[in-house]
Amino acid sequence: GESVGLHLPTLSVQEGDNSIINCAYSNSASDYFIWYKQESGKGPQFIIDIRSNMDKRQGQRVTVLLNKTVKHLSLQIAATQPGDSAVYFCAEILGNTPLVFGKGTRLSVIA
Amino acid sequence: DSGVTQTPKHLITATGQRVTLRCSPRSGDLSVYWYQQSLDQGLQFLIQYYNGEERAKGNILERFSAQQFPDLHSELNLSSLELGDSALYFCASSVGLGDGYTFGSGTRLTVV
């Protein structure tokens, strides 16, 4: 498959463990945040989003935490599975401006 | 299948040439975005169209241009290609402005 960002930070976790992927966003005025998952050879896929008036949102096996004080987002994946192996990007939106992506983190799940 | 269709999936061309990448947005989506993804730069925003009109420009080179047609499909034209233009080019669409995006599977451009 295609390589996405050879120089990305990498997180390696054991199958079944929880994963935490962190992201520092750039604009304190951003009001909408999204986590995307990108598997090899595919486009980014929406995972979960959060508005700036919230500090936590839960989905199926995923939780996003937002700390506006330090401009920090995290994505928590419970009971990580081999299918979770991918590159994860956080992205931010301010109003109607285009999505701005962070650099990405490669998650590697060890079976 | 995300509903966003990009063609071609792969493209190999020589330096100095011109290519056109095509994107059909998800049904009902009015906004189309183009992003470039290279090994060094991550996902870089190029240009956005909303209902046929250019809405925002990012780091798009003057050698690159795009348009959105009345049927809402979009084309990205890359000319005078250089080796450094080799990258994945993604199209995304959204219903309106400020909404989450749906991405296509990308076009991998290789300039030799």
Side-chain angles (χ1 to χ4, degrees):
Chain A
E2 295 147 350
S3 252
V4 175
L6 290 178
H7 306 294
L8 295 175
T10 298
L11 174 66
S12 296
V13 298
Q14 291 286 340
E15 181 179 358
D17 287 353
N18 296 334
S19 303
I20 299 177
I21 300 171
N22 296 305
C23 171
Y25 62 90
S26 59
N27 191 336
S28 58
S30 290
D31 51 18
Y32 181 41
F33 304 88
I34 307 174
W35 278 100
Y36 283 92
K37 171 186 180 183
Q38 187 175 23
E39 297 173 276
S40 183
K42 297 183 179 179
Q45 177 186 4
F46 173 92
I47 302 174
I48 191 168
D49 59 0
I50 189 169
R51 298 279 174 184
S52 60
N53 61 352
M54 303 171 69
D55 53 21
K56 179 178 180 179
R57 189 157 189 231
Q58 288 185 288
Q60 187 178 16
R61 279 203 309 120
V62 294
T63 300
V64 55
L65 299 177
L66 173 62
N67 184 332
K68 294 183 287 293
T69 303
V70 294
K71 295 192 293 183
H72 184 267
L73 270 172
S74 68
L75 176 70
Q76 301 177 3
I77 304 173
T80 311
Q81 302 167 0
D84 295 326
S85 294
V87 177
Y88 289 81
F89 293 94
C90 67
E92 58 187 298
I93 294 180
L94 169 59
N96 294 331
T97 61
L99 209 54
V100 174
F101 282 84
K103 291 191 183 305
T105 296
R106 186 183 306 278
L107 176 65
S108 179
V109 181
I110 305 164
Chain B
D1 181 7
S2 69
V4 178
T5 304
Q6 287 189 250
T7 56
K9 291 194 182 305
H10 302 276
L11 198 49
I12 301 175
T13 190
T15 54
Q17 295 298 305
R18 171 190 166 94
V19 297
T20 297
L21 312 183
R22 182 187 168 102
C23 170
S24 293
R26 203 177 51 162
S27 178
D29 286 358
L30 299 178
S31 279
V32 170
Y33 310 81
W34 287 97
Y35 282 80
Q36 180 190 56
Q37 186 175 42
S38 59
L39 291 177
D40 299 332
Q41 300 296 325
L43 279 152
Q44 298 292 315
F45 169 69
L46 295 178
I47 197 164
Q48 176 199 358
Y49 284 83
Y50 177 75
N51 204 20
E53 300 286 329
E54 182 184 302
R55 182 77 186 188
K57 255 184 176 178
N59 298 321
I60 186 166
L61 300 172
E62 285 191 10
R63 300 183 285 109
F64 296 0
S65 65
Q67 54 185 323
Q68 186 179 28
F69 295 87
D71 66 353
L72 300 178
H73 91 271
S74 178
E75 293 181 355
L76 179 67
N77 301 297
L78 314 176
S79 62
S80 303
L81 285 166
E82 303 175 358
L83 295 177
D85 297 327
S86 295
L88 278 163
Y89 291 84
F90 287 104
C91 169
S93 69
S94 66
V95 173
L97 304 173
D99 297 321
Y101 301 1
T102 301
F103 281 82
S105 57
T107 293
R108 173 163 281 286
L109 173 66
T110 303
V111 183
V112 297

